[in-house]
Amino acid sequence: MTKQETVLLHLEDVWKIYKMGEVEVPALRGVTVEIKKGDFVAIIGASGSGKSTMMNLIGCLDAPSKGKIFLKGQDITKMSESNLATLRGQTIGFIFQQFNLIPSITAFNNVLLPLEFLEVDDKIAIERTRTILKLVGLDDKGHHLPTQLSGGQQQRVSIARSLASNPDIILADEPTGALDSVTGKKILELFHKLWKEEGKTIIMVTHDLNLAKYAHTLIELKDGQIISINKNFEVEK
Amino acid sequence: MKFHKAFKQALNMVLHSKLRSWLTILGIVIGVAAVIAIVSLSNSLETEMNSQFDALGGDLLTLTAGASRANYFSHGRGDSQEWGGGGATATEEGEEIELDRSDVQALKGVSDIKLMDTQISGNADIYYVAESGSVSVTGVDPSTWSQITTLEVAQGRMLGPADTNVIVIGGRIADGFFKKQLGINQLVTIESRLFRIVGILDDNSNSVYMPIDVAYDVIEDKERGIYDRIIIKVKDENQISLAINNTVKKLLIARHVTENTKDFSISSNQAQNESRAEMMNSMTTFLTAIAAVALLVGAVGVANTMFTSVLEKTKEIGIMKAIGARNNDILTIFLLNAALIGFIGGLLGVFFGGILSGMLPALMGQSGGMLSRMASGSSGISWSMVLITLFFSILLGMVSGAIPAYQASKLKPVDALRYE
Ligand SMILES: Nc1ncnc2c1ncn2[C@@H]1O[C@H](COP(=O)(O)OP(=O)(O)O)[C@@H](O)[C@H]1O
Ligand SMILES: [Mg+2]
């Protein structure tokens, strides 16, 4: 089995049903999929098709109503909250549509924070933070508060934060949703670079097909079910 | 997350907190300040009392007329009843009950007694230059007073057997009562009689001591030969109960009364001490209850702020969880945040409480009596008290913040993230 073939993530007949009082809203209906290490996946589909729900489950932020999720071979539905937190910190980097930076601390400290939760040695953590800020092209903006940065810059900080703990997977839910198209394109180029040069596994939600073309695998959701999985050979490494 | 990192986060939270958090802190500040002020006040009140009672000496007895228990608090009032007898109380039959020479004679026959000082007391007006004021005057037996009293002079001398128109004054009268400081050999007028100051006491009182003979002229409604009280110094302090028994026996015979119709009372320093302590205790308990309520209000404030803070920070909690914070990390950060609020409140509270306890006695002024005398005395705040207060305000913060912090830690990351 080559490196490319290693299965990093495996969803097996995953259901998610939201209960709103008496009403049950099935957001995911029996999703089964394998995502291999080093892949760049775009999840596409109409609004309300269950994309975010699927991301939250993959990212261990929520538990499925039914089914199993294996992350690096471990069934995360059976893990304790504290183990799950550590797994999240080490394995997954989140990028949100609204950036979700902590407003009261500087860009540098935002990137440093995941390493502090993981109790990484100070010296290593600070060095790592510098390197990553440089990688996203913000080495001179570390001392700024999030509000002092533009949207594109804030999203770069949040990308840097997602990379801090050197995770296996980057999860990005509509990362360009709050950005203009030019800035959005630049962010996608950064993703592409991370995928090609850093060998990251990236899973990205988008409803913009122009952006989805940067991805290698396209998973299309409709009404909580996968209706197609396509490979985009143009972006082959 | 390491503890000092969590602390850094918590501190950052406090520093970036909104006005509301600072108002909460104010709640604690007021509570703690009230506690500090009250505790330190009652502390110094106690010290003041203890020093007074220490000064009285364990070998002293106070004899007063009347069947009631020694009435320490009223002896300065110059009781005068319908019969006009100074320091006398009337029985139901209208017969006066008083202390006079015959009692002194009787006491001379008690072998346990070493010395006696016959006293009267009351208030009188004092004049110096163009100023005047009211002071408490005690007429004492000048030949024995200096050997019995445990008061001490800071300057000059005590009264002697040959003295007539001279006085010994309390420290407060010498310094602070009049615009000008009074010194030895200066003359003051008390109730239109001129007196020379021969001694200044080493205390803070507004008291004047003079020979009893002249005191009869100065204090109103006092009948010559009648005493408000007789201070008795016993020979052996360790045999004081025996001395009391013998004295009582002798007086019962001399005054033609029985144990049941006893018309005088003897109190020792110890007995007075106990009744004082009792009063002090109930006062302290009452004040402490008020302070506790103030603190409780502060605690509710902290809890309230913490709950709102958790709500406000819900999204941040979600973010932190998404990037690897464990429940314990969140719990620690929020608990530390509450502890810090408590600590800051406690610190400021100690500060303002200190100022308040220094100011209160002065504010109460003349009417404060004992309190006003403490104004220049030592403050009742000790380091241990400061530390205990800080410890408890931190604890208070943490206890009030415990439930909100726990709730914060239990938030589901996905729910927290969705919160706007
Ligand atoms: N917390 C929730 N409670 C109830 N229904 C929800 C919740 N989150 C999502 N849903 C519903 O689940 C479906 C899928 O939502 P979502 O995964 O957010 O879709 P997408 O991200 O593709 O727009 C929608 O019908 C949505 O209304
Ligand atoms: Mg969505």
Side-chain angles (χ1 to χ4, degrees):
Chain A
M1 210 188 270
T2 65
K3 192 179 170 236
Q4 180 79 349
E5 295 300 303
T6 314
V7 174
L8 196 57
L9 190 72
H10 182 152
L11 276 67
E12 202 179 287
D13 190 29
V14 169
W15 288 70
K16 181 72 194 180
I17 297 161
Y18 293 110
K19 286 199 175 64
M20 301 181 66
E22 295 291 290
V23 191
E24 293 193 344
V25 183
L28 285 185
R29 300 185 296 163
V31 169
T32 301
V33 70
E34 272 185 358
I35 291 168
K36 298 194 173 71
K37 193 170 166 62
D39 203 352
F40 186 170
V41 181
I43 300 175
I44 54 174
S47 175
S49 56
K51 307 184 292 294
S52 294
T53 303
M54 185 171 158
M55 286 296 258
N56 290 339
L57 293 178
I58 294 172
C60 322
L61 293 175
D62 205 355
S65 310
K66 211 179 101 188
K68 288 188 176 123
I69 301 171
F70 296 91
L71 185 58
K72 294 170 88 178
Q74 289 170 282
D75 186 352
I76 63 169
T77 55
K78 291 202 169 73
M79 285 173 77
S80 74
E81 167 54 36
S82 115
N83 285 341
L84 216 51
T86 309
L87 181 75
R88 229 168 11 230
Q90 286 171 341
T91 317
I92 299 163
F94 285 97
I95 297 161
F96 304 93
Q97 179 175 352
Q98 297 299 337
F99 325 135
N100 283 358
L101 298 171
I102 308 277
S104 60
I105 60 177
T106 62
F108 191 92
N109 284 331
N110 263 288
V111 179
L112 191 64
L113 196 55
L115 298 173
E116 291 186 340
F117 283 126
L118 286 175
E119 302 190 359
V120 174
D121 196 60
D122 268 6
K123 251 169 116 181
I124 298 170
I126 287 169
E127 196 46 51
R128 171 89 185 144
T129 303
R130 283 215 187 91
T131 314
I132 297 170
L133 275 174
K134 200 165 185 168
L135 181 72
V136 299
L138 285 176
D139 37 342
D140 57 336
K141 295 275 189 280
H143 59 281
H144 284 80
L145 287 175
T147 46
Q148 298 165 331
L149 297 172
S150 71
Q153 286 170 331
Q154 287 187 56
Q155 195 58 301
R156 279 168 196 273
V157 174
S158 99
I159 292 169
R161 180 178 66 184
S162 75
L163 292 169
S165 61
N166 197 18
D168 300 290
I169 311 172
I170 305 279
L171 294 182
D173 193 346
E174 313 229 15
T176 63
L179 302 173
D180 62 80
S181 60
V182 180
T183 321
K185 198 158 165 273
K186 284 201 181 125
I187 293 293
L188 257 294
E189 274 158 12
L190 179 58
F191 275 10
H192 200 79
K193 179 175 134 188
L194 291 174
W195 175 54
K196 276 199 144 171
E197 292 170 19
E198 308 283 318
K200 294 288 170 203
T201 309
I202 299 172
I203 305 175
M204 174 182 76
V205 164
T206 183
H207 55 249
D208 186 342
L209 286 174
N210 280 327
L211 298 177
K213 69 173 189 259
Y214 284 91
H216 179 244
T217 305
L218 280 130
I219 299 176
E220 190 174 358
L221 278 180
K222 193 181 177 215
D223 297 333
Q225 286 179 316
I226 294 178
I227 52 168
S228 72
I229 299 180
N230 292 308
K231 293 289 175 189
N232 179 359
F233 295 105
E234 280 168 36
V235 294
E236 219 40 275
K237 287 185 186 179
Chain B
M1 184 175 234
K2 290 192 184 112
F3 186 80
H4 71 278
K5 299 287 179 193
F7 185 81
K8 201 178 77 178
Q9 290 298 321
L11 186 66
N12 183 65
M13 253 165 81
V14 175
L15 293 179
H16 283 83
S17 54
K18 307 218 167 90
L19 178 67
R20 199 196 47 246
S21 303
W22 292 103
L23 288 177
T24 308
I25 290 179
L26 192 68
I28 301 181
V29 172
I30 293 169
V32 169
V35 171
I36 284 277
I38 285 166
V39 172
S40 77
L41 258 177
S42 51
N43 265 0
S44 39
L45 211 62
E46 228 174 304
T47 336
E48 170 88 1
M49 283 184 173
N50 285 343
S51 73
Q52 278 201 350
F53 286 115
D54 288 347
L56 269 177
D59 55 354
L60 299 183
L61 300 174
T62 305
L63 170 64
T64 47
S68 65
R69 223 152 63 88
N71 201 348
Y72 183 89
F73 296 105
S74 69
H75 69 55
R77 231 172 41 200
D79 315 6
S80 91
Q81 311 294 327
E82 47 194 305
W83 303 96
T89 324
T91 62
E92 282 170 38
E93 295 85 42
E95 206 180 309
E96 278 178 56
I97 296 171
E98 51 199 23
L99 296 172
D100 58 22
R101 290 212 69 79
S102 57
D103 296 298
V104 175
Q105 280 308 317
L107 290 174
K108 278 190 179 148
V110 181
S111 61
D112 308 84
I113 294 176
K114 192 176 173 191
L115 285 168
M116 278 177 281
D117 174 18
T118 50
Q119 296 191 347
I120 58 169
S121 50
N123 287 322
D125 292 332
I126 185 169
Y127 302 88
Y128 179 69
V129 193
E131 291 177 77
S132 69
S134 175
V135 290
S136 88
V137 172
T138 306
V140 298
D141 181 347
S143 56
T144 55
W145 179 60
S146 66
Q147 297 159 70
I148 290 179
T149 186
T150 40
L151 293 169
E152 277 169 24
V153 283
Q155 288 174 57
R157 61 171 178 85
M158 301 295 272
L159 298 176
D163 282 330
T164 48
N165 287 324
V166 300
I167 51 171
V168 170
I169 61 172
R172 172 54 64 91
I173 301 182
D175 187 5
F177 195 83
F178 295 111
K179 273 188 217 122
K180 250 186 89 182
Q181 224 166 303
L182 290 180
I184 300 298
N185 282 333
Q186 264 168 319
L187 298 175
V188 293
T189 308
I190 299 175
E191 301 284 347
S192 71
R193 256 184 109 118
L194 212 55
F195 288 91
R196 186 166 57 89
I197 298 166
V198 294
I200 294 169
L201 290 174
D202 186 17
D203 68 1
N204 257 323
S205 71
N206 280 346
S207 306
V208 169
Y209 295 87
M210 62 175 65
I212 191 165
D213 279 341
V214 282
Y216 281 118
D217 298 335
V218 165
I219 306 171
E220 263 180 70
D221 294 329
K222 294 290 169 186
E223 192 184 328
R224 216 164 264 280
I226 305 296
Y227 315 119
D228 286 350
R229 83 194 74 90
I230 301 173
I231 309 289
I232 297 164
K233 189 182 178 97
V234 299
K235 281 181 179 149
D236 186 355
E237 191 175 334
N238 299 319
Q239 301 285 313
I240 193 147
S241 3
L242 187 67
I244 293 175
N245 278 342
N246 291 340
T247 309
V248 169
K249 264 187 225 155
K250 191 84 184 181
L251 285 170
L252 288 177
I253 295 166
R255 295 174 72 91
H256 309 294
V257 287
T258 67
E259 196 69 53
N260 290 331
T261 55
K262 192 172 142 204
D263 60 352
F264 61 90
S265 57
I266 292 180
S267 69
S268 66
N269 187 14
Q270 282 103 326
Q272 287 171 3
N273 240 348
E274 274 159 27
S275 63
R276 268 290 169 110
E278 228 167 75
M279 193 197 75
M280 265 304 296
N281 272 347
S282 53
M283 194 171 101
T284 311
T285 312
F286 173 69
L287 291 175
T288 309
I290 294 176
V293 170
L295 265 187
L296 194 70
V297 172
V300 173
V302 178
N304 183 45
T305 301
M306 287 292 296
F307 272 114
T308 356
S309 169
V310 166
L311 273 185
E312 254 175 23
K313 301 229 177 271
T314 300
K315 181 127 192 184
E316 272 180 48
I317 293 167
I319 298 168
M320 287 186 183
K321 288 199 161 183
I323 63 174
R326 287 167 302 156
N327 288 1
N328 268 343
D329 296 330
I330 303 289
L331 186 69
T332 311
I333 291 173
F334 275 82
L335 268 185
L336 282 174
N337 179 49
L340 271 170
I341 290 180
F343 175 73
I344 296 172
L347 209 61
L348 292 173
V350 167
F351 179 72
F352 288 115
I355 293 179
L356 200 67
S357 61
M359 257 162 43
L360 264 186
L363 284 178
M364 295 192 175
Q366 296 285 7
S367 61
M370 189 166 287
L371 289 176
S372 67
R373 256 175 278 155
M374 286 158 24
S376 53
S378 62
S379 147
I381 299 179
S382 63
W383 275 111
S384 61
M385 200 165 118
V386 170
L387 289 182
I388 291 171
T389 309
L390 285 182
F391 173 78
F392 274 103
S393 25
I394 290 172
L395 197 70
L396 177 95
M398 288 179 74
V399 168
S400 350
I403 294 170
Y406 180 77
Q407 282 191 348
S409 76
K410 286 289 175 207
L411 279 173
K412 256 172 74 182
V414 66
D415 295 334
L417 273 171
R418 210 179 7 243
Y419 188 89
E420 286 302 335

